[in-house]
């Protein structure tokens, strides 16, 4: 049986798109959606599974279980199918339909949580469900992306060095904050690099990651309803929060120029362009990470009825250029 492992799962993502022609300011977008699992989450998934195997945590009878809003679930589904493990993904109603169907097509089981925890939101309810499963049956192995150091280590070992090789004069790096695995891995790598790099975390408005007030968030990928245990703010130079309306406008603006990206990318691009507009530093080398592509969002952020139901009829009317003007 062919098995997905680190040497074969990663053809280093060398595709970078300069967004200057779209937004008027140079920003190199590292496109992570071109691996087998379709997102950057494949890196963390491989790192966590292979670490568990090395430590003897996983056996042939084990059932992998993880809480995921979508992309990590797809990545783990692919790895589990490749390695012969069973996998159960615990998600909630915000998970895109295409991600659920992908997981099921790969042979995984998907449980959808409908109730919201009064303190921890959907995420708290998902984690409680996973904990109850593990307590009831010792075959379940929870990788716990929220606390597993393999989550950030994957990006310390791979994503950070990939960016450094391509941009030896990097000045600022914009990274979306979800579990903060990508953020912490890249930030740790560049803290040790030969020149200073400004690390800017981009979060969704309504997320509590950096102490914000919780509110409704409908776009999966970034933001947390519980403070991420992996987060160490000493590695972060600046935090930008982006409203979901601005995320949607950025996604649609990119799509109109031929680039179909997911909601996390729209959030990061919107935040990055706002930062670049405010700083106006000539000759700055700026990079942002695009975690996935947009096909999994066709029934949500690219679907007019979904947008109108949640954000109103005029969500796309105010093209405030999302961020930067071209002057």
């Amino acid at each position: 049986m062919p098995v997905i492992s680190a040497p074969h799962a990663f053809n280093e993502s060398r595709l970078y798109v300069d967004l200057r022609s779209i937004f008027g300011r140079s920003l190199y977008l590292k496109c992570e959606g071109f691996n087998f699992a379709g997102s950057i989450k494949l890196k963390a998934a491989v790192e966590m599974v292979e670490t568990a195997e090395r430590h003897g945590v996983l056996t042939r009878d084990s059932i992998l279980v993880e809480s995921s809003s979508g992309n990590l679930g797809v990545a783990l589904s692919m790895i589990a199918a490749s390695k012969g493990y069973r996998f159960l993904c615990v998600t909630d109603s915000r998970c895109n339909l295409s991600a659920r169907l992908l997981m099921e097509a790969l042979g995984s089981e998907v449980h959808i949580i409908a109730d919201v925890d009064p303190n921890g939101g959907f995420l708290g309810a998902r984690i409680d469900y996973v904990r109850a499963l593990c307590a009831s049956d010792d075959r379940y192995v929870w990788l716990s992306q929220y606390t597993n150091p393999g989550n950030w280590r994957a990006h310390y070992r791979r994503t950070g060095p990939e960016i450094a090789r391509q941009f030896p004069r990097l000045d600022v790096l914009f990274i979306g904050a979800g579990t903060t695995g990508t953020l912490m891995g890249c930030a740790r790598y560049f803290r040790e690099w030969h020149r200073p790099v400004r690390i800017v975390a981009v979060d969704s408005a309504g997320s509590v990651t950096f102490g914000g007030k919780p509110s409704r968030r409908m776009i999966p990928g970034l933001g947390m309803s519980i403070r991420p245990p992996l987060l160490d703010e000493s590695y972060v130079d600046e935090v930008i929060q982006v409203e979901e309306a601005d995320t949607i406008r950025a996604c649609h603006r990119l799509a109109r120029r031929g680039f179909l990206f997911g909601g996390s990318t729209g959030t990061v691009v919107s935040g990055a362009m706002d930062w670049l507009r405010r700083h106006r530093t000539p000759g700055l080398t700026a990079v942002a990470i695009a975690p996935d592509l947009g096909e999994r969002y066709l029934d949500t952020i690219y679907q007019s009825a979904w947008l109108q139901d949640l954000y109103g009829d005029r969500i796309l009317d105010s093209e405030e250029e999302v961020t930067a003007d071209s002057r």
Side-chain angles (χ1 to χ4, degrees):
M1 174 184 294
V3 174
I4 295 174
S5 60
H8 304 290
F10 306 109
N11 292 320
E12 177 182 319
S13 178
R14 294 189 177 133
L15 178 57
Y16 293 82
V17 176
D18 187 355
L19 301 183
R20 180 186 291 276
S21 66
I22 303 175
F23 292 94
R25 299 187 188 280
S26 182
L27 176 68
Y28 292 96
L29 196 60
K30 187 180 194 305
C31 303
E32 288 281 351
F34 292 98
N35 59 52
F36 284 115
S39 83
I40 197 171
K41 288 292 189 178
L42 183 59
K43 293 177 177 178
V46 169
E47 183 76 24
M48 291 189 294
V49 169
E50 293 191 345
T51 299
E53 288 177 328
R54 286 195 302 271
H55 293 167
V57 175
L58 285 172
T59 69
R60 287 294 114 191
D61 295 327
S62 296
I63 305 171
L64 284 168
V65 61
E66 186 56 88
S67 159
S68 170
S69 62
N71 280 337
L72 183 70
V74 172
L76 286 172
S77 294
M78 184 165 289
I79 293 167
S82 172
K83 290 176 173 285
Y85 297 117
R86 292 171 59 191
F87 171 58
L88 167 62
C89 181
V90 179
T91 188
D92 59 64
S93 56
R94 297 171 302 173
C95 178
N96 293 320
L97 176 60
S98 59
R100 298 181 211 168
L101 294 176
L102 274 169
M103 288 186 272
E104 291 172 348
L106 289 163
S108 297
E109 191 174 353
V110 180
H111 288 190
I112 300 171
I113 301 300
D115 297 326
V116 179
D117 183 276
N119 298 314
F122 276 120
L123 176 57
R126 281 165 25 197
I127 290 174
D128 287 345
Y129 187 90
V130 171
R131 284 178 174 149
L133 275 178
C134 293
S136 67
D137 190 335
D138 60 11
R139 292 177 301 165
Y140 285 106
V141 174
W142 181 25
L143 296 173
S144 185
Q145 62 167 323
Y146 312 105
T147 60
N148 194 321
N151 189 348
W152 67 260
R153 193 178 297 119
H155 304 288
Y156 177 87
R157 293 176 54 196
R158 298 188 179 93
T159 310
E162 289 167 9
I163 295 169
R165 282 192 290 271
Q166 190 73 24
F167 297 96
R169 303 295 297 173
L170 179 66
D171 294 302
V172 58
L173 179 60
F174 299 94
I175 310 170
T179 64
T180 68
T182 307
L183 174 64
M184 287 294 96
C186 290
R188 282 183 166 93
Y189 177 83
F190 284 107
R191 177 67 62 86
E192 301 169 1
W193 208 36
H194 66 88
R195 68 191 303 264
V197 173
R198 188 164 188 82
I199 300 296
V200 180
V202 184
D203 196 17
S204 300
S207 165
V208 306
T209 297
F210 296 96
K213 184 177 179 181
S215 62
R216 184 189 77 165
R217 291 179 295 108
M218 298 305 298
I219 301 174
L222 298 185
M224 295 276 280
S225 53
I226 298 172
R227 182 179 169 83
L230 295 177
L231 177 63
D232 182 343
E233 290 189 60
S234 69
Y235 287 95
V236 178
D237 296 303
E238 193 171 343
V239 177
I240 298 173
Q241 286 204 317
V242 175
E243 297 288 342
E244 288 193 334
D246 292 324
T247 292
I248 291 162
R249 292 181 190 121
C251 285
H252 280 257
R253 190 170 178 189
L254 286 162
R256 285 198 302 274
R257 297 298 294 273
F259 298 106
L260 194 70
F261 286 106
S264 299
T265 299
T267 303
V268 173
V269 168
S270 179
M273 286 298 170
D274 177 64
W275 190 95
L276 293 169
R277 176 187 57 78
R278 289 186 283 107
H279 286 77
R280 295 181 182 271
T281 305
L284 196 74
T285 299
V287 173
I289 297 174
D292 63 2
L293 300 179
E295 290 92 338
R296 294 175 190 173
Y297 302 82
L298 293 176
D299 59 337
T300 54
I301 60 177
Y302 295 106
Q303 213 278 332
S304 58
W306 187 88
L307 291 176
Q308 290 168 9
D309 287 346
L310 291 174
Y311 304 100
D313 294 340
R314 303 182 65 83
I315 180 63
L316 298 177
D317 285 358
S318 65
E319 276 301 324
E320 303 167 328
E321 296 306 291
V322 181
T323 48
D325 55 52
S326 58
R327 295 172 294 175

